[in-house]
Amino acid sequence: MRLLSRALRLLMPAFAVFVALLMGGTLVPRHADFRPTPDGVPIFVVSNGMHTDVVLPLREPRTGQDWLQRLGQPALTARFGQYEYVAFGWGNERFYLESYGGKFPKAGTVLRALLPGPTLMHVDFYRHAPRAGARVVPLRISVAQYQRLTGYVEQSFAPDSVGRWTLRNEAGYSPEDFFFYARGRYHALRTCNDWTNQALGRSGIRAALKAPLAASVLYQARRGAEKKTVR
């Protein structure tokens, strides 16, 4: 016990420094010069307090992007053809699946999520655009930025042997959301919010250097949204 106690005392300062550096990444922006595009593609960064998603137009005529066609699920096309937006999120498979019914995952699941584990894409259909608010940041981005963003989202899905995206479950938390198999491993340094943050940053949109929490993602996205638009 003495050895364990001593080891913990030695590790705590290092852990505190690690957390400080991680959280400090929230305040350091990538693409600080980002400006919204007035007639650009409307997107939204949305949070439920813990997770973040990017909400995109279901169809975008300037790029020809049609998410229902890309998902390749005839049943979803029939059901959601009149909807206007679709949200994408990425996260730990067990954490997602144990959250059904509004439940919080077991402690063991939370701890295991610190280590590399399998992931899912969460796809949620919106009948209309979400309203701006404390947990919803609207942005207007250029066509080129949107194309990079859609490319990032597409690359996050895990295709089957013939290149199709595969449903993990026939239903999600509601009748309007679903889970697909995803690429990548979830762990303490690669979280659901880090995925959203990377989606923005790699597309040329203002994002945090590191975003372990939903608030980190929203903070930098909102700072970007508040900048004067590009003319």
PDB file of all heavy atoms in Angstrom, residues 48 50-51 92-106 109 172-173 179:
ATOM      1  N   ASN A  48     -25.532  18.204 -26.723  1.00  0.00           N
ATOM      2  CA  ASN A  48     -26.528  17.858 -25.703  1.00  0.00           C
ATOM      3  C   ASN A  48     -25.970  18.082 -24.307  1.00  0.00           C
ATOM      4  O   ASN A  48     -26.555  17.667 -23.313  1.00  0.00           O
ATOM      5  CB  ASN A  48     -26.984  16.400 -25.849  1.00  0.00           C
ATOM      6  CG  ASN A  48     -25.868  15.404 -25.590  1.00  0.00           C
ATOM      7  OD1 ASN A  48     -24.724  15.774 -25.303  1.00  0.00           O
ATOM      8  ND2 ASN A  48     -26.175  14.118 -25.683  1.00  0.00           N
ATOM      9  N   MET A  50     -22.922  16.953 -23.393  1.00  0.00           N
ATOM     10  CA  MET A  50     -21.773  16.049 -23.289  1.00  0.00           C
ATOM     11  C   MET A  50     -21.140  15.785 -24.644  1.00  0.00           C
ATOM     12  O   MET A  50     -19.927  15.839 -24.799  1.00  0.00           O
ATOM     13  CB  MET A  50     -22.204  14.715 -22.671  1.00  0.00           C
ATOM     14  CG  MET A  50     -22.552  14.786 -21.203  1.00  0.00           C
ATOM     15  SD  MET A  50     -22.970  13.149 -20.554  1.00  0.00           S
ATOM     16  CE  MET A  50     -21.436  12.279 -20.859  1.00  0.00           C
ATOM     17  N   HIS A  51     -21.979  15.484 -25.627  1.00  0.00           N
ATOM     18  CA  HIS A  51     -21.526  15.155 -26.980  1.00  0.00           C
ATOM     19  C   HIS A  51     -21.770  16.334 -27.919  1.00  0.00           C
ATOM     20  O   HIS A  51     -22.620  17.187 -27.657  1.00  0.00           O
ATOM     21  CB  HIS A  51     -22.282  13.940 -27.522  1.00  0.00           C
ATOM     22  CG  HIS A  51     -22.089  12.698 -26.721  1.00  0.00           C
ATOM     23  ND1 HIS A  51     -21.000  11.873 -26.883  1.00  0.00           N
ATOM     24  CD2 HIS A  51     -22.853  12.129 -25.763  1.00  0.00           C
ATOM     25  CE1 HIS A  51     -21.095  10.845 -26.060  1.00  0.00           C
ATOM     26  NE2 HIS A  51     -22.211  10.984 -25.364  1.00  0.00           N
ATOM     27  N   ASN A  92     -17.811   6.182 -28.861  1.00  0.00           N
ATOM     28  CA  ASN A  92     -17.561   4.831 -28.366  1.00  0.00           C
ATOM     29  C   ASN A  92     -18.802   3.957 -28.509  1.00  0.00           C
ATOM     30  O   ASN A  92     -19.896   4.354 -28.104  1.00  0.00           O
ATOM     31  CB  ASN A  92     -17.127   4.912 -26.904  1.00  0.00           C
ATOM     32  CG  ASN A  92     -16.841   3.565 -26.296  1.00  0.00           C
ATOM     33  OD1 ASN A  92     -17.742   2.918 -25.765  1.00  0.00           O
ATOM     34  ND2 ASN A  92     -15.593   3.128 -26.357  1.00  0.00           N
ATOM     35  N   GLU A  93     -18.636   2.780 -29.099  1.00  0.00           N
ATOM     36  CA  GLU A  93     -19.776   1.902 -29.368  1.00  0.00           C
ATOM     37  C   GLU A  93     -20.534   1.535 -28.102  1.00  0.00           C
ATOM     38  O   GLU A  93     -21.760   1.696 -28.038  1.00  0.00           O
ATOM     39  CB  GLU A  93     -19.295   0.629 -30.076  1.00  0.00           C
ATOM     40  CG  GLU A  93     -20.424  -0.333 -30.401  1.00  0.00           C
ATOM     41  CD  GLU A  93     -19.940  -1.557 -31.161  1.00  0.00           C
ATOM     42  OE1 GLU A  93     -18.813  -2.013 -30.888  1.00  0.00           O
ATOM     43  OE2 GLU A  93     -20.682  -2.059 -32.018  1.00  0.00           O
ATOM     44  N   ARG A  94     -19.854   1.036 -27.087  1.00  0.00           N
ATOM     45  CA  ARG A  94     -20.548   0.604 -25.871  1.00  0.00           C
ATOM     46  C   ARG A  94     -21.200   1.779 -25.158  1.00  0.00           C
ATOM     47  O   ARG A  94     -22.305   1.658 -24.616  1.00  0.00           O
ATOM     48  CB  ARG A  94     -19.576  -0.126 -24.941  1.00  0.00           C
ATOM     49  CG  ARG A  94     -19.134  -1.475 -25.480  1.00  0.00           C
ATOM     50  CD  ARG A  94     -18.407  -2.290 -24.447  1.00  0.00           C
ATOM     51  NE  ARG A  94     -19.266  -2.629 -23.313  1.00  0.00           N
ATOM     52  CZ  ARG A  94     -18.938  -3.487 -22.360  1.00  0.00           C
ATOM     53  NH1 ARG A  94     -17.750  -4.086 -22.383  1.00  0.00           N
ATOM     54  NH2 ARG A  94     -19.757  -3.740 -21.368  1.00  0.00           N
ATOM     55  N   PHE A  95     -20.523   2.922 -25.134  1.00  0.00           N
ATOM     56  CA  PHE A  95     -21.087   4.109 -24.488  1.00  0.00           C
ATOM     57  C   PHE A  95     -22.395   4.504 -25.168  1.00  0.00           C
ATOM     58  O   PHE A  95     -23.403   4.778 -24.506  1.00  0.00           O
ATOM     59  CB  PHE A  95     -20.091   5.259 -24.544  1.00  0.00           C
ATOM     60  CG  PHE A  95     -20.371   6.363 -23.568  1.00  0.00           C
ATOM     61  CD1 PHE A  95     -19.637   6.462 -22.396  1.00  0.00           C
ATOM     62  CD2 PHE A  95     -21.359   7.304 -23.813  1.00  0.00           C
ATOM     63  CE1 PHE A  95     -19.899   7.482 -21.481  1.00  0.00           C
ATOM     64  CE2 PHE A  95     -21.626   8.320 -22.918  1.00  0.00           C
ATOM     65  CZ  PHE A  95     -20.892   8.413 -21.739  1.00  0.00           C
ATOM     66  N   TYR A  96     -22.375   4.531 -26.493  1.00  0.00           N
ATOM     67  CA  TYR A  96     -23.592   4.859 -27.233  1.00  0.00           C
ATOM     68  C   TYR A  96     -24.710   3.872 -26.917  1.00  0.00           C
ATOM     69  O   TYR A  96     -25.837   4.255 -26.593  1.00  0.00           O
ATOM     70  CB  TYR A  96     -23.305   4.815 -28.732  1.00  0.00           C
ATOM     71  CG  TYR A  96     -22.872   6.118 -29.361  1.00  0.00           C
ATOM     72  CD1 TYR A  96     -21.898   6.134 -30.361  1.00  0.00           C
ATOM     73  CD2 TYR A  96     -23.451   7.336 -29.015  1.00  0.00           C
ATOM     74  CE1 TYR A  96     -21.506   7.314 -30.984  1.00  0.00           C
ATOM     75  CE2 TYR A  96     -23.064   8.522 -29.628  1.00  0.00           C
ATOM     76  CZ  TYR A  96     -22.102   8.507 -30.607  1.00  0.00           C
ATOM     77  OH  TYR A  96     -21.732   9.673 -31.215  1.00  0.00           O
ATOM     78  N   LEU A  97     -24.429   2.585 -27.026  1.00  0.00           N
ATOM     79  CA  LEU A  97     -25.477   1.576 -26.922  1.00  0.00           C
ATOM     80  C   LEU A  97     -26.013   1.433 -25.506  1.00  0.00           C
ATOM     81  O   LEU A  97     -27.175   1.054 -25.319  1.00  0.00           O
ATOM     82  CB  LEU A  97     -24.963   0.227 -27.430  1.00  0.00           C
ATOM     83  CG  LEU A  97     -24.534   0.204 -28.906  1.00  0.00           C
ATOM     84  CD1 LEU A  97     -24.098  -1.191 -29.310  1.00  0.00           C
ATOM     85  CD2 LEU A  97     -25.660   0.696 -29.812  1.00  0.00           C
ATOM     86  N   GLU A  98     -25.210   1.758 -24.511  1.00  0.00           N
ATOM     87  CA  GLU A  98     -25.688   1.701 -23.132  1.00  0.00           C
ATOM     88  C   GLU A  98     -26.427   2.970 -22.726  1.00  0.00           C
ATOM     89  O   GLU A  98     -26.915   3.073 -21.600  1.00  0.00           O
ATOM     90  CB  GLU A  98     -24.532   1.431 -22.175  1.00  0.00           C
ATOM     91  CG  GLU A  98     -24.015   0.000 -22.233  1.00  0.00           C
ATOM     92  CD  GLU A  98     -22.965  -0.298 -21.174  1.00  0.00           C
ATOM     93  OE1 GLU A  98     -22.897   0.461 -20.176  1.00  0.00           O
ATOM     94  OE2 GLU A  98     -22.237  -1.283 -21.339  1.00  0.00           O
ATOM     95  N   SER A  99     -26.503   3.946 -23.637  1.00  0.00           N
ATOM     96  CA  SER A  99     -27.204   5.196 -23.341  1.00  0.00           C
ATOM     97  C   SER A  99     -28.660   5.174 -23.788  1.00  0.00           C
ATOM     98  O   SER A  99     -29.360   6.182 -23.662  1.00  0.00           O
ATOM     99  CB  SER A  99     -26.480   6.370 -24.021  1.00  0.00           C
ATOM    100  OG  SER A  99     -25.159   6.486 -23.560  1.00  0.00           O
ATOM    101  N   TYR A 100     -29.112   4.056 -24.319  1.00  0.00           N
ATOM    102  CA  TYR A 100     -30.516   3.956 -24.740  1.00  0.00           C
ATOM    103  C   TYR A 100     -31.437   4.224 -23.551  1.00  0.00           C
ATOM    104  O   TYR A 100     -31.120   3.882 -22.412  1.00  0.00           O
ATOM    105  CB  TYR A 100     -30.788   2.561 -25.302  1.00  0.00           C
ATOM    106  CG  TYR A 100     -30.465   2.401 -26.766  1.00  0.00           C
ATOM    107  CD1 TYR A 100     -29.201   2.710 -27.253  1.00  0.00           C
ATOM    108  CD2 TYR A 100     -31.404   1.936 -27.671  1.00  0.00           C
ATOM    109  CE1 TYR A 100     -28.891   2.561 -28.597  1.00  0.00           C
ATOM    110  CE2 TYR A 100     -31.114   1.781 -29.014  1.00  0.00           C
ATOM    111  CZ  TYR A 100     -29.852   2.096 -29.472  1.00  0.00           C
ATOM    112  OH  TYR A 100     -29.552   1.955 -30.797  1.00  0.00           O
ATOM    113  N   GLY A 101     -32.582   4.812 -23.861  1.00  0.00           N
ATOM    114  CA  GLY A 101     -33.560   5.091 -22.819  1.00  0.00           C
ATOM    115  C   GLY A 101     -33.133   6.192 -21.869  1.00  0.00           C
ATOM    116  O   GLY A 101     -33.663   6.300 -20.762  1.00  0.00           O
ATOM    117  N   GLY A 102     -32.189   7.029 -22.295  1.00  0.00           N
ATOM    118  CA  GLY A 102     -31.732   8.123 -21.447  1.00  0.00           C
ATOM    119  C   GLY A 102     -30.855   7.686 -20.299  1.00  0.00           C
ATOM    120  O   GLY A 102     -30.582   8.468 -19.381  1.00  0.00           O
ATOM    121  N   LYS A 103     -30.379   6.447 -20.315  1.00  0.00           N
ATOM    122  CA  LYS A 103     -29.542   5.936 -19.227  1.00  0.00           C
ATOM    123  C   LYS A 103     -28.104   6.425 -19.386  1.00  0.00           C
ATOM    124  O   LYS A 103     -27.650   6.715 -20.489  1.00  0.00           O
ATOM    125  CB  LYS A 103     -29.561   4.409 -19.225  1.00  0.00           C
ATOM    126  CG  LYS A 103     -30.936   3.802 -19.000  1.00  0.00           C
ATOM    127  CD  LYS A 103     -30.857   2.286 -19.095  1.00  0.00           C
ATOM    128  CE  LYS A 103     -32.235   1.658 -18.928  1.00  0.00           C
ATOM    129  NZ  LYS A 103     -32.187   0.180 -19.080  1.00  0.00           N
ATOM    130  N   PHE A 104     -27.396   6.478 -18.249  1.00  0.00           N
ATOM    131  CA  PHE A 104     -25.965   6.777 -18.307  1.00  0.00           C
ATOM    132  C   PHE A 104     -25.216   5.459 -18.256  1.00  0.00           C
ATOM    133  O   PHE A 104     -25.550   4.578 -17.457  1.00  0.00           O
ATOM    134  CB  PHE A 104     -25.544   7.657 -17.130  1.00  0.00           C
ATOM    135  CG  PHE A 104     -24.162   8.229 -17.291  1.00  0.00           C
ATOM    136  CD1 PHE A 104     -23.948   9.343 -18.077  1.00  0.00           C
ATOM    137  CD2 PHE A 104     -23.075   7.625 -16.673  1.00  0.00           C
ATOM    138  CE1 PHE A 104     -22.674   9.870 -18.238  1.00  0.00           C
ATOM    139  CE2 PHE A 104     -21.795   8.133 -16.828  1.00  0.00           C
ATOM    140  CZ  PHE A 104     -21.593   9.265 -17.615  1.00  0.00           C
ATOM    141  N   PRO A 105     -24.226   5.268 -19.107  1.00  0.00           N
ATOM    142  CA  PRO A 105     -23.503   3.989 -19.143  1.00  0.00           C
ATOM    143  C   PRO A 105     -22.908   3.597 -17.798  1.00  0.00           C
ATOM    144  O   PRO A 105     -22.650   4.443 -16.936  1.00  0.00           O
ATOM    145  CB  PRO A 105     -22.402   4.247 -20.179  1.00  0.00           C
ATOM    146  CG  PRO A 105     -22.948   5.330 -21.029  1.00  0.00           C
ATOM    147  CD  PRO A 105     -23.753   6.204 -20.128  1.00  0.00           C
ATOM    148  N   LYS A 106     -22.666   2.320 -17.633  1.00  0.00           N
ATOM    149  CA  LYS A 106     -22.086   1.802 -16.398  1.00  0.00           C
ATOM    150  C   LYS A 106     -20.678   2.355 -16.192  1.00  0.00           C
ATOM    151  O   LYS A 106     -19.988   2.720 -17.141  1.00  0.00           O
ATOM    152  CB  LYS A 106     -22.036   0.273 -16.456  1.00  0.00           C
ATOM    153  CG  LYS A 106     -23.402  -0.384 -16.608  1.00  0.00           C
ATOM    154  CD  LYS A 106     -23.251  -1.880 -16.810  1.00  0.00           C
ATOM    155  CE  LYS A 106     -24.603  -2.545 -17.047  1.00  0.00           C
ATOM    156  NZ  LYS A 106     -24.460  -3.991 -17.327  1.00  0.00           N
ATOM    157  N   THR A 109     -17.990   0.772 -18.230  1.00  0.00           N
ATOM    158  CA  THR A 109     -17.980   1.214 -19.625  1.00  0.00           C
ATOM    159  C   THR A 109     -17.255   2.549 -19.761  1.00  0.00           C
ATOM    160  O   THR A 109     -16.478   2.757 -20.699  1.00  0.00           O
ATOM    161  CB  THR A 109     -19.414   1.339 -20.154  1.00  0.00           C
ATOM    162  OG1 THR A 109     -20.044   0.060 -20.100  1.00  0.00           O
ATOM    163  CG2 THR A 109     -19.442   1.858 -21.574  1.00  0.00           C
ATOM    164  N   GLY A 172     -32.166   4.083 -33.052  1.00  0.00           N
ATOM    165  CA  GLY A 172     -31.285   4.701 -32.083  1.00  0.00           C
ATOM    166  C   GLY A 172     -32.055   5.091 -30.842  1.00  0.00           C
ATOM    167  O   GLY A 172     -32.837   4.313 -30.302  1.00  0.00           O
ATOM    168  N   TYR A 173     -31.851   6.328 -30.402  1.00  0.00           N
ATOM    169  CA  TYR A 173     -32.530   6.806 -29.207  1.00  0.00           C
ATOM    170  C   TYR A 173     -33.965   7.228 -29.488  1.00  0.00           C
ATOM    171  O   TYR A 173     -34.781   7.372 -28.577  1.00  0.00           O
ATOM    172  CB  TYR A 173     -31.771   7.998 -28.617  1.00  0.00           C
ATOM    173  CG  TYR A 173     -30.330   7.715 -28.299  1.00  0.00           C
ATOM    174  CD1 TYR A 173     -29.340   8.619 -28.669  1.00  0.00           C
ATOM    175  CD2 TYR A 173     -29.942   6.558 -27.625  1.00  0.00           C
ATOM    176  CE1 TYR A 173     -28.003   8.377 -28.375  1.00  0.00           C
ATOM    177  CE2 TYR A 173     -28.614   6.302 -27.331  1.00  0.00           C
ATOM    178  CZ  TYR A 173     -27.652   7.215 -27.711  1.00  0.00           C
ATOM    179  OH  TYR A 173     -26.331   6.984 -27.422  1.00  0.00           O
ATOM    180  N   PHE A 179     -27.483   4.232 -35.822  1.00  0.00           N
ATOM    181  CA  PHE A 179     -26.048   4.030 -35.655  1.00  0.00           C
ATOM    182  C   PHE A 179     -25.496   3.208 -36.807  1.00  0.00           C
ATOM    183  O   PHE A 179     -26.073   2.200 -37.201  1.00  0.00           O
ATOM    184  CB  PHE A 179     -25.744   3.318 -34.335  1.00  0.00           C
ATOM    185  CG  PHE A 179     -25.990   4.162 -33.124  1.00  0.00           C
ATOM    186  CD1 PHE A 179     -27.097   3.953 -32.316  1.00  0.00           C
ATOM    187  CD2 PHE A 179     -25.117   5.187 -32.791  1.00  0.00           C
ATOM    188  CE1 PHE A 179     -27.331   4.729 -31.205  1.00  0.00           C
ATOM    189  CE2 PHE A 179     -25.339   5.972 -31.673  1.00  0.00           C
ATOM    190  CZ  PHE A 179     -26.447   5.738 -30.872  1.00  0.00           C
TER     191      PHE A 179
END
